[in-house]
Amino acid sequence: MKNILIINGHQKYGSSSGKLNQTLMDSMVSLLEKKNNIQTTIIQNGYSIEEEQQKFLWADIIIYQTPVYWFSVPGLFKTYMDEIYAYGLFFKGADQYGSGGLLTGKKYMFSTTWNAPKEAFNDPTQFFKGNNLEEAVSHLHRVQEFIGMQPLKSFACYDVVKNSNIDQFVYELDVHLEEVLNF
């Protein structure tokens, strides 16, 4: 039985109410709570810095459920990281820059929602110049590496504005979680 923290990083943006990200988070909780201890955070609903830090220390696995806005996490989610990822608790100074992460032994996974179509990835003629999903979010991986965590394979829903198929997205996420978490 693992301790899993699931964080919903959605931030209301224009007409985006966050239904898809909340649905994906709810599906994760439903699937994973059968064999794991689960805690959740919905950043948009507010949080206590100290409570969030304790959740990270408690967790074996952190799952970030987030939309991708302008090729990164929403501003509120970035503020969350700025406030929660504390020196002396999540990382410390080290002789070699980036080697002072204190959350070693913990794993994380990004589950992201994109307006970009799947075809925009892995094709050198498309926008991401042949980069795959992991390369497209490498800057987000670097943050987690800095605090000592190890990545699990990321998941993504593509083309969510024009071709949103929530039932298919939930199914694909369930398959991904079963594969990545081996349960």
Side-chain angles (χ1 to χ4, degrees):
M1 186 169 273
K2 298 283 186 189
N3 295 335
I4 301 176
L5 171 59
I6 305 172
I7 301 169
N8 183 340
H10 180 268
Q11 178 179 351
K12 185 160 177 46
Y13 178 72
S15 63
S16 176
S17 67
K19 179 182 174 188
L20 174 57
N21 282 275
Q22 188 60 51
T23 299
L24 294 170
M25 181 181 185
D26 292 343
S27 178
M28 281 188 250
V29 169
S30 178
L31 181 68
L32 297 174
E33 70 184 355
K34 297 171 188 167
K35 295 182 180 178
N36 301 281
N37 300 310
I38 305 294
Q39 290 192 46
T40 62
T41 297
I42 301 171
I43 294 173
Q44 188 168 267
N45 292 349
Y47 53 88
S48 158
I49 292 171
E50 294 78 21
E51 286 178 22
E52 293 306 302
Q53 290 169 335
Q54 289 308 308
K55 287 179 184 180
F56 270 84
L57 297 177
W58 165 85
D60 301 307
I61 299 169
I62 294 93
I63 300 176
Y64 301 100
Q65 176 59 57
T66 185
V68 175
Y69 293 166
W70 293 104
F71 313 104
S72 193
V73 296
L76 192 60
F77 191 0
K78 175 60 170 81
T79 298
Y80 173 89
M81 286 190 272
D82 290 345
E83 293 177 339
I84 304 305
Y85 293 15
Y87 181 84
L89 190 62
F90 284 25
F91 65 96
K92 64 178 180 177
D95 291 338
Q96 182 176 349
Y97 184 79
S99 65
L102 298 174
L103 299 186
T104 57
K106 296 182 184 292
K107 298 186 181 213
Y108 72 92
M109 184 186 100
F110 281 109
S111 175
T112 55
T113 58
W114 293 75
N115 189 38
K118 189 172 187 175
E119 298 77 31
F121 298 86
N122 301 308
D123 180 343
T125 67
Q126 296 267 346
F127 180 80
F128 290 104
K129 309 290 188 226
N131 286 334
N132 64 31
L133 173 66
E134 303 296 4
E135 293 164 331
V137 295
S138 64
H139 58 293
L140 301 176
H141 285 300
R142 191 67 65 206
V143 173
Q144 308 318 309
E145 180 183 353
F146 190 85
I147 61 175
M149 294 197 297
Q150 297 296 313
L152 295 168
K153 183 180 174 187
S154 297
F155 174 77
C157 299
Y158 302 100
D159 207 8
V160 300
V161 174
K162 293 179 188 172
N163 295 305
S164 187
N165 184 339
I166 294 177
D167 291 339
Q168 183 66 30
F169 294 153
V170 168
Y171 171 76
E172 291 170 357
L173 175 60
D174 288 354
V175 169
H176 180 85
L177 290 170
E178 289 176 14
E179 173 190 319
V180 169
L181 299 179
N182 299 315
F183 62 90

